[in-house]
């Protein structure tokens, strides 16, 4: 296996900070699932973009007479949730499809469900929480219409992103269950330690069931998921 140099996030070469992950959907993800992984990646970018626009909306909120605390929280959410959402739910999904890892699928389901709940709260937009959701926007129309219109853009984007996240969660769960995935399989990966080496995880399972045939060396990326695709995405 040739050495893979980390390429994400793409950073200028003059910076001392180097990329933390290697990402190549065409090379590592099986062809039937590349479109889904790309769309989940696009969804992550949409969510990060929504958080960025939310910062601008909170500035308009502040300029129209709202509290400065909303701007501070919005900036914190952007700096915190953009990288955390990539590492906590996109990367587990990427690794799950890359090597048919039930453990990573379970990690994705758990973290992405929490992400959906968080996005729903951001869509509601409780005043003072740093998100220009529906509640904060509608209430501010009586104070400053111009600022409220800017805030409305964030409310609409949060709504779209939350709806897409719910669809992705349902889609991936159906795909995983349709391929025979289960919690017991994820527990088996955890107990045997196979989750630590995702590219060779399927080879490890084969070695347990075919001990009499002797060990074999897995060739990456031979271990790929075989989940059926029975519906259009």
């Amino acid at each position: 296996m040739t050495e893979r140099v980390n390429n994400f996030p793409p950073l200028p070469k003059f910076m001392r900070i180097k990329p933390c992950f290697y990402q190549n959907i065409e090379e590592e993800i099986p062809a039937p699932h590349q479109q889904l992984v790309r769309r989940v990646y696009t969804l992550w970018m949409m969510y990060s973009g929504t958080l960025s626009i939310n910062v601008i909306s909170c500035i308009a909120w502040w300029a129209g007479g709202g509290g400065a605390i909303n701007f501070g929280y919005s900036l914190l959410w952007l700096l915190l949730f953009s990288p955390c959402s990539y590492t906590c739910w996109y990367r587990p999904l990427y690794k799950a499809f890359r090597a048919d890892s039930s453990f990573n699928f379970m990690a994705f389901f758990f973290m992405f469900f929490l992400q959906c709940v968080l996005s729903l709260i951001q869509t509601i937009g409780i005043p003072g929480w740093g998100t220009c959701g529906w509640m904060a926007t509608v209430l501010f129309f009586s104070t400053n219409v111009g600022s409220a219109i800017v805030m409305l853009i964030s409310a609409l984007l949060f709504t779209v992103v939350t709806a897409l996240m719910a669809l992705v969660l349902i889609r991936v769960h159906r795909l995983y269950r349709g391929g025979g995935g289960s919690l017991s399989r994820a527990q088996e990966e955890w107990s045997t330690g196979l989750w630590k080496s995702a590219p060779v995880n399927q080879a490890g399972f084969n070695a347990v069931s075919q001990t009499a045939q002797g060990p074999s060396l897995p060739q990456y990326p031979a271990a790929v998921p075989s989940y059926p695709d029975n519906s259009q995405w």
Side-chain angles (χ1 to χ4, degrees), residues 22-197:
Y22 178 80
Q23 177 174 299
N24 190 324
I25 295 177
E26 293 184 357
E27 177 184 339
E28 295 193 311
I29 305 300
H33 309 302
Q34 289 180 3
Q35 185 181 44
L36 176 58
V37 174
R38 286 194 187 96
R39 288 182 174 178
V40 176
Y41 177 67
T42 302
L43 179 59
W44 170 75
M45 290 192 295
M46 287 180 59
Y47 179 63
S48 300
T50 300
L51 292 176
S52 301
I53 295 176
N54 180 64
V55 174
I56 299 175
S57 298
C58 284
I59 294 176
W61 191 2
W62 185 11
I69 189 174
N70 292 302
F71 168 71
Y73 275 132
S74 67
L75 193 60
L76 177 62
W77 303 152
L78 174 62
L79 298 177
L80 180 63
F81 291 140
S82 290
C84 287
S85 58
Y86 180 87
T87 57
C88 291
W89 54 261
Y90 173 73
R91 284 300 298 181
L93 180 69
Y94 184 92
K95 292 187 290 185
F97 277 118
R98 182 184 67 184
D100 192 12
S101 170
S102 289
F103 176 83
N104 282 294
F105 270 114
M106 290 301 169
F108 165 77
F109 290 138
F110 177 74
M111 297 304 302
F112 199 65
F113 175 76
L114 295 180
Q115 174 68 81
C116 290
V117 173
L118 174 63
S119 298
L120 179 60
I121 295 175
Q122 292 172 328
T123 301
I124 295 173
I126 302 174
W129 285 30
T131 55
C132 296
W134 288 105
M135 184 182 296
T137 301
V138 172
L139 293 176
F140 206 69
F141 264 102
S142 59
T143 303
N144 190 304
V145 177
S147 297
I149 292 176
V150 178
M151 294 166 62
L152 183 62
I153 299 175
S154 293
L156 292 171
L157 289 175
F158 275 124
T159 303
V160 172
V161 168
T162 302
L164 291 176
M165 286 181 176
L167 291 176
V168 166
L169 184 62
I170 295 172
R171 168 64 174 169
V172 175
H173 183 264
R174 288 179 177 177
L175 197 64
Y176 177 68
R177 296 294 292 177
S182 63
L183 180 60
S184 60
R185 184 177 172 185
Q187 292 173 337
E188 184 178 358
E189 288 186 17
W190 173 265
S191 60
T192 57
L194 293 175
W195 64 276
K196 298 179 182 179
S197 183

